[in-house]
């Protein structure tokens, strides 16, 4: 091209721009997304961040790869017609490694000017079903199938909901990875039989795979499975079963789904108990992908309660997890009733004690239950004292004696729970390292959780103990758990323990003003980052830091409409008002918050007509009325319930 010629824009560039622009139109801020173009593009065209309409940008992202086609080619599979197109396997792998969302692949049809889409894990799952073996992974490219589901404003909302749920579920799984969610921790006995991990890997996995999984020997299992050929794996129902559990419960969801499906094809060769455990692995994968809610997951546990085909160990585990998910569902609900019923936990503790399982396992199960017990009492504590603070804001004082009695009761329950966990810690000694680490981590976590709860509501009444000694003691528990988990090769557990230690150091510095341990929180953050990079774990977010930042910006904190309505219902209950007045209370709270957020002029004040409060008959019977007044000039607006209208009247006044 000469100096006198203009640069030409090639057709591929035009088509690429058209497809990206259409995708961005649907992944817009209006629909709850922030879209960023990746440059350079190594497998992702758009990097998309979820927006929470209440709190804004979330840092939760997924990747999108876009392909344009002048003419759509189709293929039929299982009596369904799909868009068929070649796709580089390296780019498919790159997307699959972006856990936990994996991302989307979009196909833009220039002729129809429509964009079709599918989730990466579904595309890979479809390939695994179609292909006879894994040889396609060694190819440069492979034909993928995309269903004729059109990207639109409606489907983009479904994508937003699904990925939001996936992140929430993934966070829960990370927090409770090895304990509360690991249902099929099979307890197959090996007696005094020794295991030679250097023996033939097929023999090792078939004879001892289930036991090694139960003992959390994930590194040994992973190395053994990855040393085998596809033929060796796919011809053994036992190896497929172990692989399905291993990859599902260690967070490799795509591989887990693949092996679950393979194992199910040979499941008739498995025992009935293993078939049930395989079903749970499948449910776990769907939960991690955001395809199951907590409620649906709970239903699956309930359906297997007292199943005669399950061993006593696994039956108890299902009961433990049923209690945990019921608590989670109550925690997530908008239930305003403050209650604390732990009778079901007490009954299950007795059942565990009377069971025939070995003593080590009894302690392990009790730790799981007492952690749930602790979470429940902290939840009760927070709800109770938030309610007390709400009453105070309305001029209804709660007696100091009642506060101290509530605190005493809560501390008694926490003390009993921690003593039971400490008993397990002492029983473990140096003989049962995993039990010792689990107990040590639970003690550290319980202390951190309760102290964080106190910090979040600025409560410190009747808690007389040596803070420095308690912080040091629980810091040491956390460090011990981290060390043992590392020694056992349980890197996910070690990563979680490390995060708890860092949180404890940070909380102590913020609330007590002194440092514990030998490392700063910044040094811990460096180690956490290194582990995250090495093992591909998800980022660890600081709950303590979020609370501290919230305290620093409390005036600008925005409550969503659901929370405001909950407050409105509580106020209505406290005043014993008819239910139909709750809407007017909500409008009052919403108006006050909107004024604080949008008014930028310190000279303008919001005043409310409170004459309705003089009589029960008129109390919130009608929408609240407000006026805006300029403090210096004393100019006032006319009364109105519309804060936007009131602010507009003062928009030009300084």
């Amino acid at each position: 091209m000469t100096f006198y010629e203009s640069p030409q824009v090639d057709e591929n560039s035009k088509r690429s721009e058209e497809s990206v622009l259409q995708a961005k139109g649907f992944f817009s801020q209006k629909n709850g997304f922030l879209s960023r173009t990746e440059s350079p593009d190594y497998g992702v065209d758009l990097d998309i961040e979820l927006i929470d309409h209440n709190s804004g940008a979330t840092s939760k992202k997924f990747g999108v790869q876009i392909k344009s086609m002048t003419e759509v080619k189709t293929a039929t599979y299982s009596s369904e017609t799909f868009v068929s197109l070649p796709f580089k396997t390296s780019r498919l792998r790159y997307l699959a490694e972006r856990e936990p969302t994996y991302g989307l692949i979009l196909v833009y049809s220039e002729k129809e000017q429509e964009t079709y889409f599918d989730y990466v894990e579904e595309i890979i799952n479809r390939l695994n079903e179609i292909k006879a073996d894994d040889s396609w992974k060694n190819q440069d490219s492979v034909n993928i199938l995309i269903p004729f589901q059109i990207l639109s404003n409606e489907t983009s909302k479904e994508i937003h909901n699904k990925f939001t749920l996936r992140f929430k579920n993934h966070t829960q799984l990370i927090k409770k990875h090895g304990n509360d969610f690991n249902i099929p921790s099979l307890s197959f006995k090996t007696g005094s039989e020794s295991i030679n991990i250097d023996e033939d890997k097929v023999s090792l996995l078939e004879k001892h795979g289930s036991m090694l999984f139960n003992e959390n020997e994930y590194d040994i299992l992973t190395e053994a499975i990855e040393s085998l050929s596809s033929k060796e794996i796919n011809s053994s129902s036992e190896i497929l079963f172990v692989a399905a559990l291993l990859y599902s419960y260690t967070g490799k969801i795509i591989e887990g789904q693949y092996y679950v499906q393979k194992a199910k094809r040979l499941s008739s060769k498995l025992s009935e108990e293993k078939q049930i455990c395989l079903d749970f692995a499948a449910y776990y994968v769907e939960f991690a992908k955001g395809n199951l809610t907590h409620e649906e997951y709970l239903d699956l546990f309930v359906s297997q309660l007292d199943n005669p085909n399950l061993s006593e160990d696994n039956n108890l585990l299902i009961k433990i997890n049923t209690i945990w998910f019921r608590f989670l569902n109550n925690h997530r609900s908008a239930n305003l009733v403050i209650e604390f019923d732990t009778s079901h936990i007490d009954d299950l503790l007795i059942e565990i004690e009377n069971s025939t399982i070995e003593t080590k396992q009894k302690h392990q199960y009790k730790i799981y239950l007492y952690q749930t017990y602790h979470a429940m009492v902290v939840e009760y504590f927070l709800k109770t004292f938030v309610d007390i603070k709400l009453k105070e804001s309305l001029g209804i004082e709660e007696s100091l004696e009642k506060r101290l009695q509530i605190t005493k009761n809560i501390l008694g329950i926490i003390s009993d729970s921690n003593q039971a966990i400490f008993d397990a810690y002492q029983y473990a000694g140096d003989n049962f390292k995993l039990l010792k680490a689990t107990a040590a981590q639970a003690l550290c976590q319980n202390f951190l959780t309760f102290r964080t709860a106190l910090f979040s509501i600025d409560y410190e009444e009747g808690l007389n103990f040596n803070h420095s000694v308690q912080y040091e003691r629980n810091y040491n528990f956390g460090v011990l758990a981290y060390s043992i988990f590392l020694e056992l090769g349980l890197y996910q557990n070690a990563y979680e323990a490390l995060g708890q230690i860092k949180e404890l150091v940070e909380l102590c510095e913020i609330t007590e003003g002194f440092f514990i341990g030998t490392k700063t929180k910044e040094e811990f953050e460096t180690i956490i980052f290194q582990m995250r990079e090495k093992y591909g774990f998800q980022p660890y977010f600081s709950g303590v830091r979020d609370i501290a930042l919230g305290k620093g910006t409390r005036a600008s904190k925005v409550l969503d409409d659901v929370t405001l309505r909950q407050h409105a219902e509580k106020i209505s209950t406290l005043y014993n008002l008819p239910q139909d007045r709750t809407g007017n209370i909500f409008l009052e709270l919403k108006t006050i918050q909107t004024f604080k957020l949008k008014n930028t002029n310190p000279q303008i004040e919001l005043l409310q007509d409170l004459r309705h409060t003089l009589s029960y008959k008129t109390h919130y019977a009608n929408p609240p009325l407000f006026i805006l007044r300029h403090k210096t000039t004393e100019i006032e607006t006319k009364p109105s319930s519309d804060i936007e209208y009131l602010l507009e009247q003062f928009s030009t006044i300084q």
Side-chain angles (χ1 to χ4, degrees), residues 75-85 92 105 107 116-133 136 142-149 162 254 257-258 261-262 265 289:
T76 302
Y77 172 66
S78 293
S79 303
E80 185 178 350
T81 303
F82 294 86
V83 177
S84 175
L85 73 154
L92 198 56
I105 294 177
V107 178
Y116 309 106
F117 74 95
D118 201 10
Y119 300 88
V120 169
E121 75 276 6
E122 299 301 337
I123 294 168
I124 294 177
N125 182 42
R126 202 172 291 119
L127 279 171
N128 289 331
E129 291 176 351
I130 295 171
K131 303 296 182 181
D133 53 39
W136 64 268
V142 64
N143 267 16
I144 65 172
L145 302 181
I146 306 286
F148 279 91
Q149 53 184 356
K162 183 167 184 173
I254 292 177
Q257 185 177 32
Y258 169 70
Q261 291 176 342
K262 290 280 188 180
R265 293 173 188 173
K289 288 164 56 182

Side-chain angles (χ1 to χ4, degrees), residues 22 26-27 72 80-84 103-109 113-123 126 145-156 158-159 162-163 166 291:
Q22 188 182 77
F26 293 118
F27 293 116
V72 171
E80 185 178 350
T81 303
F82 294 86
V83 177
S84 175
L104 302 170
I105 294 177
L106 275 51
V107 178
Y108 177 68
S109 169
Q113 294 188 332
E114 296 280 13
T115 299
Y116 309 106
F117 74 95
D118 201 10
Y119 300 88
V120 169
E121 75 276 6
E122 299 301 337
I123 294 168
R126 202 172 291 119
L145 302 181
I146 306 286
F148 279 91
Q149 53 184 356
I150 297 173
L151 185 64
S152 63
N153 285 324
E154 193 62 35
T155 54
S156 68
E158 294 173 6
I159 291 169
K162 183 167 184 173
F163 281 162
R166 186 170 296 186
N291 294 336

Side-chain angles (χ1 to χ4, degrees), residues 36 64 75 94 100 110 164 204-205 238 281 284 319-320 322 344 409 412 431 447 467 472 497 505 534 549 641:
R36 301 177 180 92
V64 170
Y94 181 74
E110 296 175 25
T164 298
L204 172 70
L205 290 167
E238 185 65 31
Y284 184 98
K319 290 179 179 179
I320 291 168
T322 300
H344 48 304
N409 293 341
N431 298 317
F447 179 79
H467 287 202
E472 288 285 354
V505 170
K534 183 175 181 179
L549 289 173
S641 299

Side-chain angles (χ1 to χ4, degrees), residues 347-577:
D347 292 342
L348 188 50
L349 284 169
I350 294 172
E351 185 176 347
I352 291 171
E353 187 58 41
N354 294 333
S355 69
T356 59
I357 64 176
E358 57 183 305
T359 304
K360 178 186 73 170
Q361 203 70 2
K362 287 182 181 181
H363 279 298
Q364 192 85 20
Y365 289 178
K366 286 179 181 178
I367 291 173
Y368 299 162
L369 270 180
Y370 277 113
Q371 282 187 286
T372 302
Y373 212 150
H374 187 275
M376 290 174 67
V377 74
V378 170
E379 174 79 1
Y380 171 74
F381 168 79
L382 286 172
K383 282 188 175 181
T384 299
F385 282 97
V386 165
D387 189 61
I388 287 175
K389 284 180 175 288
L390 180 60
K391 287 180 179 178
E392 287 179 347
S393 71
L394 299 171
I396 306 172
E397 293 292 335
E398 202 69 79
S399 69
L400 178 61
E401 290 76 13
K402 182 174 181 179
R403 287 178 175 222
L404 293 176
Q405 186 60 49
I406 292 171
T407 304
K408 183 179 178 181
N409 293 341
I410 289 170
L411 288 176
I413 295 169
I414 288 176
S415 177
D416 291 343
S417 299
N418 286 339
Q419 183 60 52
I421 296 172
F422 186 70
D423 289 344
Y425 173 83
Q426 287 188 308
Y427 172 82
D430 295 325
N431 298 317
F432 306 114
K433 288 187 176 180
L434 181 58
L435 176 61
K436 188 171 186 176
T438 303
Q441 184 181 23
L443 289 168
C444 177
Q445 180 181 339
N446 285 0
F447 179 79
L448 172 65
T449 301
F450 186 55
R451 297 303 304 175
T452 302
L454 293 173
F455 174 47
S456 70
I457 61 171
D458 300 317
Y459 185 85
E460 198 65 38
E461 292 177 9
L463 305 177
N464 299 315
F465 64 93
N466 191 319
H467 287 202
S468 61
V469 170
Q470 289 295 321
Y471 269 99
E472 288 285 354
R473 180 172 186 263
N474 286 281
Y475 171 88
N476 290 333
F477 278 135
V479 170
L480 176 65
Y482 168 72
S483 301
I484 296 176
F485 286 141
L486 273 186
E487 179 187 344
L488 297 175
L490 301 177
Y491 302 114
Q492 175 74 58
N493 301 66
Y495 180 70
E496 294 165 16
L498 192 62
Q500 289 171 4
I501 298 166
K502 194 271 294 183
E503 291 272 277
L504 200 62
V505 170
E506 193 164 20
L507 181 65
C508 185
E509 181 183 344
I510 292 173
T511 61
E512 311 300 333
F514 60 84
F515 299 93
I516 53 174
T518 58
K519 296 184 184 299
T520 65
K521 64 178 183 294
E522 290 79 16
E523 289 175 308
F524 277 115
E525 285 172 354
T526 299
I527 302 172
I528 288 171
F529 176 78
Q530 290 170 347
M531 285 193 74
R532 192 183 88 200
E533 291 295 298
K534 183 175 181 179
Y535 299 108
F537 298 142
Q538 292 299 304
Y540 193 98
F541 296 103
S542 172
V544 171
R545 187 175 302 169
D546 287 346
I547 293 170
L549 289 173
K551 287 174 178 287
T553 59
R554 186 162 289 174
S556 61
K557 184 176 180 181
V558 180
L559 299 179
D560 58 44
D561 285 358
V562 173
T563 304
L564 287 175
R565 288 190 187 281
Q566 290 179 13
H567 285 315
E569 289 177 20
K570 285 190 174 185
I571 292 171
S572 179
T573 301
L574 289 171
Y575 283 117
N576 196 28
L577 298 174

Side-chain angles (χ1 to χ4, degrees), residues 170-320:
H170 189 267
T171 299
Q172 273 306 331
L173 294 177
I174 290 296
K175 288 180 178 177
K176 291 287 179 181
H177 173 74
N179 299 338
D180 296 314
F181 288 89
N182 199 356
I183 293 302
S185 295
L186 308 179
S187 301
F188 297 106
K189 307 297 186 293
T190 58
S192 58
E193 184 179 2
S194 61
I195 299 175
N196 177 13
I197 63 172
D198 294 322
E199 70 177 299
D200 171 72
K201 300 306 181 189
V202 171
S203 177
L204 172 70
L205 290 167
E206 289 188 332
K207 287 195 297 183
H208 308 301
S210 295
M211 188 278 297
L212 289 170
F213 176 80
N214 186 53
E215 294 298 323
N216 302 103
E217 296 290 355
Y218 299 149
D219 281 352
I220 296 174
L221 290 174
T222 301
E223 182 182 354
I225 290 172
E226 292 181 353
S227 71
L228 302 181
S229 66
S230 296
K231 183 178 180 181
E232 289 174 311
I233 296 173
N234 294 333
S235 61
S236 170
S237 59
E238 185 65 31
I239 295 177
L240 283 172
F241 170 73
V242 173
L245 268 58
L246 171 68
Y247 288 110
S248 296
Y249 289 105
T250 54
K252 300 295 183 183
I253 300 303
I254 292 177
E255 291 91 337
Q257 185 177 32
Y258 169 70
Y259 283 115
V260 163
Q261 291 176 342
K262 290 280 188 180
K264 286 203 169 207
R265 293 173 188 173
L266 300 179
S267 62
S268 60
K269 298 180 180 180
L270 299 171
S271 68
E272 289 188 66
E273 180 171 38
K274 287 187 177 180
Q275 290 179 36
I276 293 170
C277 292
L278 194 59
D279 286 338
F280 269 107
Y283 301 151
Y284 184 98
V285 167
E286 291 305 305
F287 180 76
K289 288 164 56 182
N291 294 336
L292 287 179
T293 63
H294 283 83
E295 292 80 3
E296 291 166 331
Y297 208 17
L298 171 62
D299 290 342
L300 297 171
F301 293 133
V302 173
S303 70
Q304 295 298 332
L305 285 172
D306 300 314
N307 187 318
N309 295 315
L310 287 173
S311 67
E312 187 176 28
D313 297 52
N314 289 328
N315 219 311
L316 288 171
L317 273 171
I318 285 179
K319 290 179 179 179
I320 291 168

